[in-house]
């Protein structure tokens, strides 16, 4: 006998999100906010520039990769700055956890990044780029993410990139004088390779 739990008879049973599926191979979808998650998936053919998760730990950068180049599932903790090479040219942190999936396969590489998992999250993001010499966060800016406002955050990130690129002062490290080169925004699909200068 399995307990199926207790459902108060007067309450509406919430409708489960049964119809949502994403194909890793469909690279046209981009970011999608669905239920409690903002979800991105990517696909690479063998030889394409790899999608590579980087995490920042204080002023050091950790490459999240399996020693045997096998599949990886990794939790990005709330508040941890990260970026994905060949997906976005800036670093992000959120006020909630995220899950990264890296699935090498015979077709190349499938990847997924899912941010959220709690009601109302992510509500807040920070964007910056680390100084290439000492790791100090440059141009750090906070963004409020309203309900279903993930698209707006992505638009704000493009504005942030244009401003960062146009303002050498923002790319210059106050500690060591290192200058971050111009960067790129979100790579929206595979036909759009990372480019500098926006
Ligand atoms: Zn520096």
């Amino acid at each position: 006998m399995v307990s199926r739990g207790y459902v108060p008879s007067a309450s509406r049973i919430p409708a489960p999100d049964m119809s949502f599926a994403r194909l890793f191979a469909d690279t046209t979808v981009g970011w999608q906010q669905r239920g409690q998650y903002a979800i991105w998936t990517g696909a690479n053919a063998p030889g394409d520039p790899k999608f590579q998760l980087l995490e920042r730990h204080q002023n050091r950068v950790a490459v999240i990769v399996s020693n045997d180049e096998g599949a990886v599932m990794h939790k990005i903790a709330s508040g941890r700055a990260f970026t994905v090479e060949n997906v976005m040219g800036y670093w992000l942190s959120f006020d909630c956890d995220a899950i990264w999936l890296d699935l090498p396969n015979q077709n190349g590489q499938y990847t997924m990044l899912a941010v959220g998992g709690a009601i109302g999250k992510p509500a807040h993001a920070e964007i910056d780029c680390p100084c290439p010499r000492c790791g100090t966060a440059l141009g750090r800016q906070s963004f409020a993410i309203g309900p279903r406002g993930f698209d707006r955050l992505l638009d704000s990130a493009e504005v942030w990139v244009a401003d960062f690129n146009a303002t050498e002062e923002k790319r210059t490290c106050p500690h060591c004088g290192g200058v971050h080169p111009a960067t790129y925004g979100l790579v929206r699909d595979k036909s759009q390779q990372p480019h500098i200068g926006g």
Side-chain angles (χ1 to χ4, degrees), residues 130-138 172-179:
C131 169
R133 271 203 223 155
C134 74
T136 297
L138 304 178
T172 304
C173 178
H175 292 292
C176 77
V179 178

